[in-house]
Amino acid sequence: MDKSYDDCQLRMEHISKSFAGVKALDEVSLYVRRGEVHALMGENGAGKSTLMKILTGIIRPDDGSIFIRGKLAGNLTPGKALACGISMIHQELNPVMYMTVAENIFLGREPVYPRMPVVNKKKELESTRIFFQEMDMDIHPGTLMSRLSIAQIQMVEIIKAVSYNSGILIMDEPTSAITDREVNKLFDIIRKLRSGGVSIIYISHKMGEIFNIADTITVLRDGKHIDTRPAAALNSKELIRLMVGREISTVFPERQAVTGPVSLEVQAISRKGKFQNISFEAHAGEILGFAGLMGAGRTEIMESIFGINRYDSGKLIVQHKAVLIRSPADAVKSGMALITEDRKKAGLNLKGSVKTNTSLASLKDYCSFGQILNADKEKKSVDLEIKRLGIKTVGRNQLVNTLSGGNQQKVVLAKWFLTNPDILILDEPTRGIDVNAKTEIYQLVSQLAQQGKTILLISSEMPELLGLCDRIIVIYQGCVQAIFKKNEFNAERIMEAAMGIPSDIHNKGSLYAV
Amino acid sequence: MLSKYGIYFAFCLLVIAMAIISPAFLHPSNIVNILRQIAVNGIMAVGMTFVMIIGGIDLSVGSILALAAVVAASFAHPGEHRVIIPVLMALAVGLGVGFINGIIIARKRLAPFIVTLGMMTVARGMALVYTNGRPVINLSDGYNRIGGGYFIGLPIPVLAFLLIILGGIFFLHFTRFGRYVFAIGGNELAAKVSGVKTQGVVIRVYALSGMLAALAGVVLSSRVMSGSPSMGQGYELDVIAAVVIGGTTLSGGVGSIGGTIIGALIIGVMNNGLDLLNVSSYWQEIVKGVIIVLAVMLDRKTNR
Amino acid sequence: MDIIAPVKNFLLLLLCAAFLLAGCGRQKKKDHLVIGVSYQNLQYEFTIYLQDAIRSQAKKMNIELIELDSRGKAEDQISEVENFIAFGVDVIILNPCDKEGSAPAVDIAVREKTPIVVLNTIVTNFQKAQAFVGSEDAEAGRIAANYMVSLLKGKGSIAVIHGLNGHSAEVQRSAGINEVLHKYPEVKIVVEQSANWDRAQALTLMENWLSSSKQIDAVIAQNDEMALGASKAIEAAGKQQEMPVIGIDAIRDALKAVEQGKMAATIFQDASGQGRLAVEIAQKIIAREPVAHINYIPFKLVTRENVKQYMKNE
């Protein structure tokens, strides 16, 4: 055994995991020493959260082994992971709002009186008070969670994770909701824990924090381990290169960009708490990409444009006409289509067949008197789309639930093609589908652009954006951070903009006028 | 084949069992009997099928039945109006109450269970207020003929039921509206994103359920020749049972009128058979419960 | 239904509070009596007749009424009696929902020294109450069965349609019927089943019985609603002449059916007599006049011969 393994608190070796044939993790190894802050970096979908879910026992790896303090841990379950001293602070907070701080911290392991199933409230409060004292925090243990600010709730969650006396503490974007002052307090806590021998796996997109607190940095990309280096040996430019630098593995269709007249104009739309002052315009025949980190607000912007949620202010102009879009029905009428990010949640009726899903948005076209279904006409159109998109199905009456992810996505596309839209919004159209289906969808998208449709493409996959788009808009914290033209963008610049790092070259003002 | 038709299979089993145990069961007059007896619940079950396919529930049908029955009866005294006006008044009341259900559920996004539970007591209370708690009696012969008369050799309630079945099948399986009903039940958000005006569909479905409950109230009140504000208590549960036995899931998105009819028939045959055999009413309760669960179990098992 | 009760009780408490505040001075020296009446269920026509009689008698005697409907729920009846006591009524008239379940209401009134009159339906501890006014349900069963035996000339097969299983009227009317039929071994009950006091259910039940191959010569229904349902089915089957039906209560529809010969008889339970007497007794208790503890109002057989005189009463 390698000598450097001796002080390893945690060793994850050759972990692999596939979802529906897509490799999410490919032989990834991670070594975390006692008393170090180990940053885990990578783009959206690089495999960070899958790896952490495996470590906390939420999902089971297909292959590989995990050693905790040198001992092989078998099949981890969430309970077993906790017992092994692994605890996690999740990005999304889920406290029980109608319980007190102390009750939340001791949820599921309440101290009881000896031989009586009665909670010892006094002990619960007292222990909580001591925790807070140790961490130099000023929250009363008896306060209801619902009375705390988001930042305070975050701190309680952190204390809760720490209170398990874990040897390994995972923090997933712990600073997303707290102020700078509290970040400093959090870092004090982290340093205190580190000197006490606790290992911390720290996931964040904020460069400043990483270089402030991390001892070691591991970079993942496309489910593979890229590099592990001491933080001192890296700078942010180099780190970003590691995160995005790769050959484009998928073949993107060659396309002659013929940009037509402006088809969609978005003028300063805002929705409180989601996005502010978003303006852009899109042309017929153009593929306009939207880059950004998860939670940057891209999906919310598209949902508002499509009428799923109202925007508070701003204006939409479609084909040179100002339109009022209050519901998706209005959007469809204006010639828009939205392929949603989560096809199971908002794209498909999983209890329905290929036929009923495909014809849903254009059903009126197959009805006499607007109501009575013309079954033959419907079948013909549906069969045509099945053939055109190459949907692999035993027949139009197969339940979509039994199709593969790629074919399900094609059903969603077919549904919208039948409405013959001018503007297609595609939100992560290739998520969770295999490489072949991806390639087919890229073909379709560029064909559509060729036919003069306007495509708005949200994607978290860098090669997809780079390979398909004519222009790319980068959204950061609900605002337009940058707009790049084809000859201006590359992976590093998009990543920098997405992480909120001001770039030396790009100039927001002039690009706005494009 | 068996997998798709599990519930039909269960129904056949039940009929065969009944026919063997009681020779009177298959007599044509008894068959007509059963059909007449399930007409009231069956008419409501057609409406409830639409409601449950969109993933909702309507607990107010029993009370709407009573309200519509007393309203119709109050217009049906001899010498005043005979048939048309009372029936139209009842249907208008049912449609209105159902429409209010739908508006609240669709626009205010409240749980259908809560809204219709509230409406269940409100409509019952309105029926009591309207009649001062007294049954409305002394109805015209013309009105009473709706429940007691015959047309082309079939009892009028059975004919009405058949018409509603045909209408239900047409609207659910052969129109855009019906397709949207399934789409909303399967995934309301996906339907909305696809440009379906989901609120309008939901409102219309509850209005339909209210109107059919009112029609059931007309049939029942003319059958017993009086409109009583205490009619139809607990009917909502029998109706929901028929729909669920018929393969419509409580979570929505799946179901058919055909299945619902079989569900209503299973309940009707069971009631009839147990009476024919003079099973004590204590035991009837137990047998009914067991058969309902068994029928659904057989259906779900073969559907795997 | 269940969500109504708490709301109703709350409103009543509010009402009581308002009255207490407004009437602090008046409390001592009231110019009239206040009677609290708790009805078993104002959705039954018979209970409404009781209410009519109580109201008209109270008006005549210048008595103020506070009326509550417990909708067939004994547990509600208990809290209603508690509220009456809190409000300080002079007498309570209790029309019990349930023989056992409503008994605690009487105990509470006795403990709080508020006089209580039990009306129409018996409770197990009615001896503790100041008085009972009603009719003996078993007697109705006996009258029905005796008349049926005479119609059948001492020989035949009878179907019995029961009320809600376990309801005290159902229990006692059944006991009365069985007591008489026991004496005539040639009159047999061939089928019996509950139709829960409901006309539509009795109709269905009778249709099913008529479909079965059983020989049925006559039907006794434990109330008129069910008798009317049964007679409808018999009429539809064209057996009106050969299959007499007897009901109990003498509601309007049933009297009409007796007059038209669709029902053989009904049994008159004197709702107005009961309601009137209950109010009179309540007034006597306050006036400290002696009252009889048990006050039976007799049942009367109503047939085609004497139906006219009952119809005039309406």
Side-chain angles (χ1 to χ4, degrees):
Chain A
M1 194 189 279
D2 196 314
K3 200 168 170 256
S4 65
Y5 288 176
D6 286 354
D7 58 348
C8 266
Q9 186 103 312
L10 168 73
R11 280 158 45 209
M12 299 180 80
E13 296 195 333
H14 310 294
I15 306 283
S16 295
K17 176 75 193 174
S18 300
F19 293 110
V22 183
K23 279 227 150 144
L25 288 174
D26 188 6
E27 301 242 331
V28 171
S29 297
L30 179 70
Y31 303 91
V32 182
R33 282 195 305 275
R34 234 178 89 82
E36 77 164 350
V37 176
H38 195 123
L40 197 54
M41 300 293 289
E43 291 178 284
N44 297 338
K48 293 168 300 187
S49 41
T50 309
L51 191 65
M52 291 303 106
K53 277 180 186 162
I54 287 170
L55 183 55
T56 49
I58 294 167
I59 56 180
R60 210 180 265 187
D62 298 337
D63 210 349
S65 32
I66 300 172
F67 296 86
I68 295 161
R69 283 177 285 277
K71 260 173 52 192
L72 180 69
N75 288 326
L76 280 176
T77 61
K80 223 164 139 188
L82 261 182
C84 290
I86 301 167
S87 59
M88 177 154 179
I89 301 158
H90 293 272
Q91 192 177 358
E92 279 127 42
L93 306 171
N94 41 11
V96 185
M97 282 299 185
Y98 295 101
M99 283 188 169
T100 63
V101 169
E103 282 164 349
N104 261 282
I105 284 180
F106 282 95
L107 193 61
R109 51 183 178 136
E110 291 81 1
V112 293
Y113 290 104
R115 266 165 301 170
M116 265 195 299
V118 177
V119 177
N120 187 340
K121 295 231 172 198
K122 227 170 98 186
K123 195 171 161 196
E124 199 175 71
L125 287 172
E126 183 56 23
S127 315
T128 309
R129 203 185 54 77
I130 292 169
F131 281 138
F132 284 145
Q133 209 169 27
E134 277 173 11
M135 296 301 166
D136 188 29
M137 274 188 344
D138 188 27
I139 299 174
H140 189 268
T143 321
L144 278 182
M145 285 305 269
S146 54
R147 294 184 177 254
L148 300 183
S149 69
I150 300 270
Q152 283 175 314
I153 290 171
Q154 180 106 44
M155 296 309 266
V156 171
E157 293 275 310
I158 290 166
I159 296 293
K160 181 177 173 179
V162 170
S163 75
Y164 280 94
N165 279 325
S166 311
I168 301 161
L169 193 55
I170 306 160
M171 297 185 174
D172 188 2
E173 299 274 5
T175 58
S176 56
I178 63 181
T179 63
D180 286 349
R181 205 171 58 83
E182 285 158 327
V183 170
N184 287 332
K185 194 170 267 176
L186 175 67
F187 284 178
D188 287 345
I189 293 173
I190 290 175
R191 291 193 187 98
K192 207 176 273 180
L193 291 169
R194 176 169 61 184
S195 57
V198 176
S199 306
I200 290 152
I201 301 176
Y202 194 94
I203 301 173
S204 176
H205 285 296
K206 297 184 183 165
M207 287 290 164
E209 286 177 14
I210 298 295
F211 288 106
N212 189 337
I213 195 78
D215 302 307
T216 314
I217 298 175
T218 288
V219 177
L220 300 183
R221 188 204 308 147
D222 292 342
K224 291 194 183 76
H225 177 257
I226 300 302
D227 208 345
T228 299
R229 292 192 202 171
L234 273 168
N235 60 31
S236 57
K237 273 250 147 67
E238 180 67 7
L239 180 54
I240 285 184
R241 199 191 56 77
L242 286 174
M243 285 163 68
V244 299
R246 84 193 111 184
E247 312 99 76
I248 294 171
S249 53
T250 334
V251 187
F252 290 96
E254 275 300 314
R255 183 170 60 89
Q256 207 65 44
V258 200
T259 309
V262 173
S263 56
L264 171 71
E265 247 179 281
V266 175
Q267 294 183 349
I269 60 167
S270 299
R271 181 161 184 246
K272 202 165 173 276
K274 300 290 181 192
F275 54 84
Q276 305 86 40
N277 205 25
I278 301 291
S279 296
F280 62 87
E281 47 187 46
H283 301 255
E286 180 184 38
I287 301 180
L288 179 57
F290 286 82
L293 297 175
M294 235 180 269
R298 294 173 297 167
T299 297
E300 288 79 1
I301 294 167
M302 296 308 159
E303 283 180 351
S304 283
I305 292 175
F306 201 69
I308 295 175
N309 299 308
R310 302 286 295 269
Y311 46 86
D312 305 326
S313 59
K315 220 162 113 188
L316 286 182
I317 296 167
V318 178
Q319 315 291 10
H320 307 292
K321 263 191 292 192
V323 289
L324 185 61
I325 288 174
R326 288 159 306 183
S327 70
D330 290 342
V332 174
K333 227 176 262 163
S334 314
M336 288 197 246
L338 171 67
I339 285 89
T340 51
E341 175 183 28
D342 186 343
R343 62 177 166 271
K344 290 191 174 166
K345 207 175 123 216
L348 289 170
N349 169 9
L350 291 175
K351 291 170 179 173
S353 64
V354 172
K355 182 182 79 178
T356 58
N357 272 287
T358 306
S359 63
L360 185 62
S362 54
L363 207 52
K364 222 175 194 163
D365 300 345
Y366 323 112
C367 287
S368 333
F369 312 110
Q371 265 301 339
I372 303 164
L373 289 173
N374 182 338
D376 284 338
K377 209 168 160 194
E378 182 190 11
K379 278 178 202 162
K380 254 182 224 146
S381 294
V382 171
D383 285 345
L384 210 69
E385 284 304 315
I386 291 176
K387 217 162 145 196
R388 194 155 80 90
L389 297 189
I391 300 172
K392 287 185 198 69
T393 162
V394 293
R396 64 180 106 79
N397 289 323
Q398 189 180 358
L399 292 182
V400 285
N401 202 11
T402 57
L403 296 178
S404 72
N407 282 305
Q408 285 183 349
Q409 189 67 314
K410 285 186 193 167
V411 170
V412 179
L413 288 169
K415 170 171 78 179
W416 287 114
F417 290 174
L418 280 177
T419 67
N420 197 21
D422 302 320
I423 301 162
L424 277 99
I425 307 170
L426 302 155
D427 193 352
E428 304 283 1
T430 60
R431 172 171 294 171
I433 65 181
D434 61 76
V435 176
N436 284 333
K438 266 186 194 180
T439 315
E440 284 174 351
I441 285 174
Y442 296 151
Q443 299 280 0
L444 280 168
V445 169
S446 55
Q447 273 170 26
L448 287 167
Q450 209 79 25
Q451 291 163 18
K453 313 268 185 206
T454 306
I455 313 274
L456 308 186
L457 174 70
I458 294 185
S459 177
S460 294
E461 296 196 30
M462 196 62 84
E464 211 165 278
L465 289 171
L466 298 177
L468 281 172
C469 297
D470 301 315
R471 280 188 303 146
I472 293 175
I473 295 178
V474 184
I475 306 292
Y476 173 71
Q477 293 189 344
C479 296
V480 174
Q481 177 80 5
I483 300 180
F484 296 110
K485 280 193 265 189
K486 183 121 199 158
N487 53 5
E488 290 172 343
F489 59 65
N490 59 41
E492 283 81 6
R493 290 177 71 185
I494 289 169
M495 199 64 198
E496 281 171 2
M499 294 175 112
I501 300 169
S503 165
D504 36 306
I505 316 165
H506 91 256
N507 179 337
K508 229 158 91 176
S510 73
L511 285 164
Y512 242 79
V514 172
Chain B
M1 280 307 264
L2 186 66
S3 66
K4 203 175 167 189
Y5 300 106
I7 202 68
Y8 297 86
F9 180 67
F11 175 64
C12 291
L13 273 186
L14 185 66
V15 168
I16 291 168
M18 285 299 180
I20 292 170
I21 302 170
S22 166
F25 178 78
L26 283 179
H27 195 275
S29 69
N30 193 48
I31 305 282
V32 173
N33 226 347
I34 294 173
L35 290 177
R36 191 165 45 205
Q37 287 167 9
I38 65 167
V40 169
N41 276 341
I43 288 170
M44 288 195 281
V46 170
M48 188 70 83
T49 307
F50 282 81
V51 172
M52 290 180 67
I53 290 174
I54 61 165
I57 199 158
D58 189 349
L59 298 176
S60 63
V61 288
S63 299
I64 294 177
L65 177 148
L67 181 59
V70 296
V71 168
S74 71
F75 282 95
H77 295 306
E80 293 176 28
H81 313 286
R82 296 168 63 93
V83 183
I84 308 287
I85 297 289
V87 172
L88 288 182
M89 288 304 291
L91 295 186
V93 165
L95 194 70
V97 175
F99 187 74
I100 295 170
N101 275 336
I103 288 273
I104 300 174
I105 290 164
R107 292 270 156 82
K108 302 286 164 204
R109 310 212 64 81
L110 293 182
F113 188 93
I114 302 299
V115 174
T116 58
L117 182 70
M119 188 55 84
M120 171 169 128
T121 70
V122 170
R124 176 76 58 195
M126 281 167 26
L128 287 163
V129 169
Y130 186 70
T131 58
N132 235 335
R134 290 151 173 80
V136 182
I137 57 172
N138 190 22
L139 310 182
S140 71
D141 288 345
Y143 185 78
N144 287 339
R145 210 165 293 132
I146 300 172
Y150 287 78
F151 186 72
I152 52 168
L154 282 172
I156 290 173
V158 175
L159 271 175
F161 184 31
L162 289 177
L163 278 178
I164 296 301
I165 292 173
L166 291 178
I169 291 175
F170 174 72
F171 277 107
L172 188 59
H173 299 294
F174 293 96
T175 65
R176 194 154 63 91
F177 171 72
R179 193 59 77 69
Y180 288 167
V181 166
F182 279 105
I184 290 171
N187 187 339
E188 185 167 357
L189 184 59
K192 190 181 163 196
V193 170
S194 303
V196 176
K197 288 175 179 150
T198 54
Q199 290 191 347
V201 175
V202 169
I203 291 169
R204 276 184 278 167
V205 162
Y206 281 94
L208 175 73
S209 172
M211 195 182 72
L212 290 179
L215 180 62
V218 168
V219 171
L220 186 65
S221 62
S222 69
R223 204 159 122 72
V224 298
M225 299 186 295
S226 77
S228 155
S230 60
M231 273 178 164
Q233 299 208 31
Y235 280 23
E236 55 281 349
L237 296 182
D238 273 351
V239 170
I240 291 166
V243 176
V244 171
I245 290 174
T248 301
T249 54
L250 285 166
S251 56
V254 180
S256 68
I257 300 289
T260 295
I261 305 312
I262 294 294
L265 277 168
I266 285 179
I267 293 181
V269 165
M270 211 160 53
N271 283 335
N272 174 267
L274 294 172
D275 280 349
L276 288 186
L277 300 172
N278 195 28
V279 176
S280 122
S281 42
Y282 305 154
W283 278 102
Q284 282 203 11
E285 307 271 328
I286 297 171
V287 174
K288 264 188 237 174
V290 169
I291 291 186
I292 288 172
V293 175
L294 274 182
V296 176
M297 218 150 74
L298 182 65
D299 187 42
R300 300 295 184 269
K301 211 170 189 175
T302 50
N303 267 343
R304 281 289 135 82
Chain C
M1 295 292 142
D2 295 63
I3 60 171
I4 290 291
V7 174
K8 189 182 65 182
N9 285 338
F10 175 71
L11 287 178
L12 183 76
L13 274 177
L14 273 184
L15 190 78
C16 292
F19 266 90
L20 284 175
L21 284 175
C24 271
R26 207 188 60 170
Q27 193 74 25
K28 292 268 153 60
K29 188 175 158 274
K30 268 183 294 193
D31 55 343
H32 54 42
L33 287 179
V34 179
I35 298 181
V37 192
S38 169
Y39 295 104
Q40 63 162 283
N41 194 342
L42 283 174
Q43 294 187 19
Y44 293 152
E45 202 177 350
F46 183 81
T47 314
I48 296 170
Y49 290 160
L50 281 179
Q51 185 185 36
D52 288 346
I54 288 172
R55 281 184 172 173
S56 74
Q57 187 64 19
K59 203 173 167 192
K60 219 181 278 171
M61 299 170 74
N62 189 27
I63 290 171
E64 186 184 334
L65 291 178
I66 300 175
E67 298 171 294
L68 294 175
D69 177 11
S70 42
R71 299 160 153 264
K73 285 203 192 109
E75 62 270 25
D76 284 9
Q77 205 147 36
I78 294 168
S79 51
E80 284 167 12
V81 166
E82 285 169 348
N83 290 342
F84 284 148
I85 293 167
F87 178 59
V89 299
D90 300 298
V91 192
I92 295 167
I93 294 178
L94 177 73
N95 169 214
C97 300
D98 190 90
K99 194 177 170 187
E100 313 282 341
S102 302
V106 176
D107 289 335
I108 289 167
V110 171
R111 197 174 63 222
E112 301 294 331
K113 304 204 168 47
T114 303
I116 186 163
V117 177
V118 177
L119 174 60
N120 178 254
T121 309
I122 215 104
V123 280
T124 43
N125 59 352
F126 77 99
Q127 294 88 350
K128 292 191 197 166
Q130 270 64 24
F132 170 75
V133 178
S135 301
E136 195 196 359
D137 271 309
E139 178 63 17
R142 283 194 290 268
I143 296 173
N146 271 320
Y147 186 63
M148 191 52 88
V149 168
S150 72
L151 279 179
L152 294 175
K153 302 192 173 63
K155 192 176 171 189
S157 310
I158 294 184
V160 178
I161 304 179
H162 289 254
L164 184 67
N165 280 324
H167 188 276
S168 68
E170 185 268 336
V171 173
Q172 295 193 46
R173 288 174 188 182
S174 301
I177 293 167
N178 290 332
E179 187 190 319
V180 171
L181 294 186
H182 216 70
K183 290 184 265 180
Y184 301 92
E186 286 191 85
V187 178
K188 284 199 186 74
I189 297 178
V190 281
V191 280
E192 55 184 325
Q193 201 71 259
S194 169
N196 301 319
W197 305 126
D198 182 77
R199 194 186 293 197
Q201 282 187 38
L203 171 57
T204 301
L205 181 63
M206 196 68 222
E207 282 173 349
N208 289 341
W209 278 344
L210 290 169
S211 290
S212 74
S213 40
K214 295 232 166 52
Q215 169 67 33
I216 298 171
D217 298 325
V219 180
I220 298 178
Q222 289 184 348
N223 78 350
D224 277 342
E225 287 285 345
M226 299 190 295
L228 287 162
S231 90
K232 173 90 196 284
I234 292 168
E235 190 187 343
K239 296 187 174 177
Q240 208 177 324
Q241 296 310 314
E242 55 214 80
M243 207 182 282
V245 179
I246 295 181
I248 298 174
D249 286 345
I251 64 174
R252 283 173 297 168
D253 254 10
L255 292 171
K256 208 169 110 190
V258 170
E259 190 198 17
Q260 294 169 343
K262 289 179 181 172
M263 277 172 59
T266 180
I267 290 151
F268 178 65
Q269 183 173 192
D270 190 354
S272 3
Q274 289 183 11
R276 207 162 45 230
L277 188 59
V279 177
E280 282 170 11
I281 285 180
Q283 192 267 342
K284 279 185 184 163
I285 290 170
I286 296 306
R288 303 198 183 273
E289 290 172 32
V291 293
H293 188 250
I294 294 180
N295 305 272
Y296 279 135
I297 305 273
F299 282 104
K300 286 168 200 151
L301 183 68
V302 183
T303 61
R304 209 167 175 178
E305 282 76 51
N306 63 355
V307 69
K308 279 275 182 293
Q309 78 186 74
Y310 291 94
M311 293 184 85
K312 264 181 226 144
N313 289 349
E314 287 301 321

